[in-house]
Amino acid sequence: MNETMTWGLAGLAGAALGALFFGGLWWTVRRGLASSQPALWLFGSLLLRMGATLAGFYAVGGGDWRRLLACLLGFVAARLLALRLGAPQREAVHAA
């Protein structure tokens, strides 16, 4: 497999890790707000999400800083997408 394809797959893996991380964060906040013990939900989710993300970065990186960088860029892209999707909708202002 050529290097460009390897970096692209590492970026996709990073985006998948980001979707897992930020999707899990969104789900946890929604569950935590309705829970009688929100701190337990938030802390448990943090440990699970961080562990899965770090293990994924370790597996994808495989000792190559370029693959690790591509994975990080995919992760950041997923973060930016999550911010855009989670932002409150603005109403268009019409001049009268």
Side-chain angles (χ1 to χ4, degrees):
M1 191 175 339
N2 63 20
E3 289 185 16
T4 305
M5 184 178 282
T6 302
W7 296 336
L9 290 174
L12 285 175
L17 287 170
L20 175 76
F21 185 87
F22 295 110
L25 177 60
W26 174 80
W27 183 79
T28 301
V29 169
R30 289 179 52 99
R31 278 298 276 209
L33 289 174
S35 174
S36 61
Q37 296 180 329
L40 185 61
W41 274 102
L42 293 171
F43 185 68
S45 172
L46 175 69
L47 289 178
L48 186 65
R49 288 182 294 113
M50 287 295 288
T53 303
L54 288 174
F57 269 92
Y58 182 77
V60 170
D64 184 10
W65 68 270
R66 292 168 295 200
R67 282 190 285 169
L68 195 58
L69 180 63
C71 187
L72 178 63
L73 290 175
F75 188 85
V76 170
R79 179 184 181 269
L80 293 174
L81 181 63
L83 284 174
R84 180 173 292 267
L85 292 175
Q89 299 296 322
R90 294 186 186 184
E91 293 184 24
V93 177
H94 298 291

